[in-house]
Amino acid sequence: MNRVRDKEVVKTLKKAKKLLKSGWTKLASARNKYGNPVSIDCKNAVRFCASGAVLRSTQDEATQNRIYGLFDILLRESIVAYNDRYHVSKNDILDVFDKAIKNASSK
């Protein structure tokens, strides 16, 4: 990764993590306050899965792809699959984001 892109990756991960702290979900990219699935771009979206939070945080496909690649390395599976595992909690997801931020910051 180059330095400029690293900064964008870190910025996006931090923004996505903030969304997840406010509200996290499984089995849908985003949900409204009633728990119904909605688009990640919906103004009523209040909870996001890990991938939905990344997508909501940046429209830049190169940044998204770098983040997904980083998660693949850290998790040895996709963030989507990991997020939706039965035993995975919000804290587990936040921990993965912390590891990804640390990894991207040290490059």
Side-chain angles (χ1 to χ4, degrees):
M1 285 197 234
N2 66 44
R3 255 309 167 212
V4 173
R5 186 141 304 138
D6 289 345
K7 287 182 181 179
E8 189 60 32
V9 165
V10 170
K11 177 181 161 188
T12 300
L13 285 166
K14 287 180 177 180
K15 187 174 179 182
K17 183 181 172 192
K18 186 174 179 180
L19 286 173
L20 294 168
K21 281 179 142 179
S22 296
W24 173 71
T25 193
K26 292 182 179 212
L27 305 174
S29 294
R31 294 185 187 275
N32 63 19
K33 67 180 181 180
Y34 303 109
N36 299 319
V38 296
S39 166
I40 58 161
D41 297 324
C42 178
K43 66 179 180 177
N44 296 323
V46 296
R47 293 189 298 157
F48 298 88
C49 73
S51 178
V54 169
L55 295 173
R56 174 81 175 237
S57 297
T58 186
Q59 302 299 309
D60 183 65
E61 286 185 40
T63 300
Q64 293 168 355
N65 289 336
R66 286 182 115 54
I67 290 170
Y68 292 137
L70 182 56
F71 284 139
D72 289 348
I73 291 167
L74 292 173
L75 297 170
R76 298 187 183 183
E77 67 179 317
S78 77
I79 191 66
V80 174
Y82 182 76
N83 185 91
D84 290 347
R85 286 181 177 265
Y86 175 77
H87 70 278
V88 171
S89 69
K90 178 179 178 179
N91 285 334
D92 294 327
I93 294 296
L94 295 175
D95 287 346
V96 170
F97 271 75
D98 286 338
K99 289 176 185 172
I101 290 165
K102 182 178 179 182
N103 185 291
S105 296
S106 66
K107 302 251 179 208

